[in-house]
Amino acid sequence: AGTIAAENPRDAQAQLRHAEMLAAAGRWEDAAAAYARALRVDGGLRAARLGLGRARLRGGDLAGAEAAFREAADAMPRDPGAQSGLGVALDLQGRHDEAQAAYRAALGLDPAHVGARTNLALSLTLSGQGAEAVRMLETVARAPQATPRQRHNLALAYAAAGDASRAAEMLAPELGETSREAVLA
């Protein structure tokens, strides 16, 4: 992919494929550079805009991630993924009120956006609003198709809201009898 991208610098799809391979390998700085190359060729590539933000985020460049997601939100004002990504970058900088506004904007665009709902609930948990986080996560985490991560997020919200019994209940399928000790820890 790297060779094809190097041989075809004006091929946005080749640059994007290379960026995605680098991201899959955890080479965040290289992936960010490749996503930026793809965007220079075709600024309308949604995957490249969001990928650039994610690569910077995963690479620890929180200010760069924030800037990338803000640019994505400006370029794609109807895309909830850009707003949700912006919220993550803001949360990781400890700017929970701003992050929550971004998640709410994403949910305003797509009320069914599970990522934005989950991220908002985690942000609320981080800012001491565990009870509200529980209300947001219960429908997602208790659905038959809920992932272990979604159940763990609800367990975290329960624990933050002071409900160790329900937190242990949510962790029990994966942790068995050790779930109560995990919650207390």
Side-chain angles (χ1 to χ4, degrees):
T3 300
I4 293 170
E7 291 173 354
N8 299 284
R10 304 284 310 142
D11 182 342
Q13 290 302 317
Q15 302 306 318
L16 180 59
R17 279 190 299 279
H18 186 223
E20 289 172 343
M21 291 183 78
L22 292 165
R27 294 177 52 191
W28 305 117
E29 190 173 318
D30 293 333
Y35 283 124
R37 283 192 300 275
L39 286 171
R40 281 194 294 276
V41 176
D42 182 353
L45 289 175
R46 177 185 187 274
R49 287 202 175 277
L50 298 180
L52 176 60
R54 286 188 202 111
R56 287 182 174 163
L57 195 65
R58 298 290 301 271
D61 178 6
L62 300 180
E66 178 186 347
F69 283 123
R70 284 192 189 283
E71 288 175 18
D74 288 344
M76 305 178 305
R78 306 283 314 145
D79 192 301
Q83 290 292 338
S84 187
L86 175 59
V88 172
L90 293 166
D91 257 336
L92 290 173
Q93 294 176 72
R95 294 160 54 196
H96 304 303
D97 289 342
E98 292 175 78
Q100 291 164 24
Y103 300 134
R104 291 182 199 285
L107 289 169
L109 295 170
D110 179 2
H113 195 283
V114 174
R117 181 169 306 286
T118 301
N119 290 336
L120 175 56
L122 290 172
S123 183
L124 291 166
T125 300
L126 290 171
S127 63
Q129 300 172 63
E132 186 177 350
V134 165
R135 284 190 298 278
M136 294 197 77
L137 286 173
E138 279 187 315
T139 56
V140 172
R142 291 194 180 273
Q145 70 274 17
T147 66
R149 176 176 242 158
Q150 290 166 334
R151 288 190 298 275
H152 296 170
N153 289 341
L154 179 56
L156 174 65
Y158 279 139
D163 193 341
S165 297
R166 291 177 100 181
E169 171 195 328
M170 290 308 298
L171 292 174
E174 286 86 20
L175 298 178
E177 292 301 315
T178 62
S179 64
R180 178 160 294 290
E181 292 84 29
V183 170
L184 294 175

